Amino acid sequence: MRVLVIGSGAREHALVLALRKDPSVTAVYAAPGNAGIAQHAQVRAVDPSSGAAVTALARELDADLVVIGPEVPLVLGVADAVRAAGISCFGPSAAAARIEGSKAFAKDVMTAAGVRTAHSEVVDNPADLDAALDRFGPTWVVKDDGLAAGKGVVVTADRLAARDHGAELLEQGHPVLLESFLDGPEVSLFCLVDGETVVPLLPAQDHKRVGDGDTGPNTGGMGAYTPLPWLPAETARAIVEDVVRPVAAELVRRGSAFSGLLYAGLAIGQDGPAVIEFNCRFGDPETQAVLALLESPLGELLAATANGTLDQVEAPRWRDGAAVTVVVAAENYPGRPRVGDVISGAEDSGKSDTAAVLHAGTQLRDGQLVSAGGRVLSVVGVGADLAEARANAYARIAGIKLTGSHFRTDIGLAAVESRISV
Ligand code: AMP
Ligand code: GLY
């Protein structure tokens, strides 16, 4: 099987590495890719948001399967274009990707499916903002009502900060979504979904805030770990049975059956799991940790999902132990990141059992590796338990140099110290 992976982040780097380990995968291509991915796959240029361009490239490469990493192409219908050309594609149709692309659609589906989620209101007129804020908070949750890569969200007990963020979004012409605050530890549960067939992967936890101890602004994700020692097995089962299956069934009922990776982001509160958001693709940085523990051949799982035969595949197998991803970010991320700095110590032979360095915002300039984005690298540590996986990730990071870069030192630490309970 010849596979083309669309995207350029550390998530796609992890997908490429896992696909390379699958004996049924004979060739892996990536587009646009990045400097790290280029060491493991032939990288090609493409506009990932153009269905015509992705389809033409898949034809040229004689790809049997196209795997679409990011949400933007999915929301724009790139998977529809690839499938219309007769090529298998891992990723939902534009209609099903609305579960991520339209917060109103997602809420509507959840209500119809009887799934618990935050109460919400959309504000599109500055004159309505104050009265709406009075109906929420504290704590206030203020979101950009569109795709914002996780950075359009402010969660705060400070009414002024909530108001400022809402007013700024409205000034930019973006409607504002206010939500009730969902308390409790967060879980990211990725499920392969093919219509009503739902196959969960290992639960993971992201760390959204930029600073240690969950301080500072929200980011696209600064690190993640899997599995979650504090999550009871029956809660994980309840997420599949009471959240993901009903939503998958509701999408089928509406004629927008989901095919691909459905990502449920939840808060585990006093009354059980409640949905913060659905995403229509693998999450970043959780994927880097989850795939590090996958023993089953990834190509087979993705192809079966894409081809409508997921119900015939044996459940994924996982290696024992734990994995931790730590994101190395550029100076000033999540603001406008400093780019163009030389990175040293990131070389990865791909042979270490304990740590890997995956690339996100990197580029080669005159043969040197330089930073080219906010989240630059994902360092993945694997170990017999979470403490060992953390130690392996941080030991590997110590050898990497990038001027001004920063990373969180506490990824997975609260779980190691048993400070999380549900
Ligand atoms: P989103 O972009 O919707 O994924 O939100 C980013 C992050 O903001 C989430 O991972 C949560 O940490 C936080 N968040 C979003 N919505 C809520 C909510 N209703 N209650 C509590 N936290 C939230
Ligand atoms: N881990 C957050 C996301 O992928 O949206």
Side-chain angles (χ1 to χ4, degrees):
M1 174 165 53
R2 300 162 63 81
V3 186
L4 168 62
V5 176
I6 301 298
S8 58
R11 163 184 55 203
E12 286 76 21
H13 195 163
L15 287 165
V16 163
L17 289 183
L19 286 165
R20 290 259 326 235
K21 286 200 291 190
D22 180 339
S24 74
V25 174
T26 51
V28 184
Y29 300 91
N34 60 38
I37 293 175
Q39 291 166 2
H40 307 282
Q42 197 191 113
V43 162
R44 300 289 298 262
V46 80
D47 172 1
S49 297
S50 162
V54 170
T55 303
L57 181 61
R59 277 220 181 92
E60 181 197 327
L61 298 172
D62 200 16
D64 302 296
L65 176 68
V66 176
V67 177
I68 300 182
E71 63 275 17
V72 171
L74 294 166
V75 168
L76 292 174
V78 172
D80 303 86
V82 172
R83 276 193 283 269
I87 302 168
S88 287
C89 187
F90 181 85
S93 64
R98 283 182 298 165
I99 195 80
E100 174 167 2
S102 161
K103 295 203 158 74
F105 177 79
K107 291 279 176 201
D108 199 43
V109 168
M110 282 188 265
T111 304
V115 168
R116 274 169 28 90
T117 182
H119 164 71
S120 69
E121 267 184 54
V122 177
V123 180
D124 50 17
N125 183 342
D128 299 337
L129 184 59
D130 278 305
L133 285 167
D134 290 342
R135 291 192 286 276
F136 289 84
T139 300
W140 286 274
V141 179
V142 184
K143 298 188 181 186
D144 186 334
D145 189 27
L147 288 178
K151 290 184 282 184
V153 184
V154 165
V155 180
T156 179
D158 175 351
R159 192 179 191 284
L160 209 59
R163 190 184 189 289
D164 282 351
H165 184 58
E168 194 184 314
L169 290 171
L170 287 168
E171 226 164 78
Q172 295 162 2
H174 299 218
V176 171
L177 189 82
L178 298 181
E179 282 190 359
S180 57
F181 176 67
L182 297 172
D183 210 1
E186 288 182 34
V187 173
S188 301
L189 185 72
F190 301 166
C191 294
L192 297 169
V193 172
D194 155 22
E196 297 211 27
T197 306
V198 174
V199 174
L201 308 185
L202 287 182
Q205 188 178 53
D206 192 0
H207 293 59
K208 288 277 186 178
R209 302 277 188 153
V210 73
D212 280 359
D214 294 328
T215 53
N218 263 315
T219 68
M222 293 297 290
Y225 64 97
T226 185
L228 307 178
W230 49 267
L231 185 72
E234 73 246 34
T235 311
R237 252 193 316 275
I239 296 170
V240 175
E241 298 307 324
D242 304 340
V243 175
V244 183
R245 270 191 219 288
V247 162
E250 176 61 20
L251 289 171
V252 170
R253 200 186 64 75
R254 291 176 181 226
S256 312
F258 194 96
S259 167
L261 193 292
L262 186 56
Y263 163 148
L266 311 110
I268 313 300
Q270 299 285 326
D271 308 326
V275 173
I276 292 176
E277 62 170 350
F278 277 104
N279 293 317
C280 65
R281 36 102 193 146
F282 279 98
D284 188 342
E286 299 96 315
T287 299
Q288 292 88 303
V290 170
L291 292 184
L293 298 184
L294 181 69
E295 279 189 337
S296 309
L298 180 67
E300 259 177 43
L301 288 168
L302 302 187
T305 308
N307 298 334
T309 55
L310 185 59
D311 57 347
Q312 293 158 38
V313 171
E314 75 174 84
R317 285 172 282 107
W318 304 97
R319 69 182 262 187
D320 291 338
V324 173
T325 314
V326 182
V327 170
V328 178
E331 182 172 336
N332 206 35
Y333 177 79
R336 182 197 292 265
R338 169 176 162 149
V339 295
D341 291 303
V342 173
I343 305 163
S344 64
E347 300 72 22
D348 192 333
S349 66
K351 299 209 165 64
S352 165
D353 282 343
T354 53
V357 180
L358 307 182
H359 291 218
T362 66
Q363 225 171 43
L364 281 180
R365 191 182 61 198
D366 305 327
Q368 264 189 324
L369 188 67
V370 298
S371 57
R375 292 192 293 178
V376 180
L377 302 167
S378 272
V379 176
V380 184
V382 174
D385 58 23
L386 204 47
E388 192 179 301
R390 266 176 52 78
N392 287 337
Y394 285 112
R396 183 65 188 86
I397 279 194
I400 298 174
K401 298 276 171 293
L402 168 61
T403 305
S405 64
H406 56 99
F407 58 86
R408 279 183 65 160
T409 66
D410 64 348
I411 305 301
L413 184 60
V416 169
E417 295 178 346
S418 304
R419 283 189 276 117
I420 307 180
S421 57
V422 292

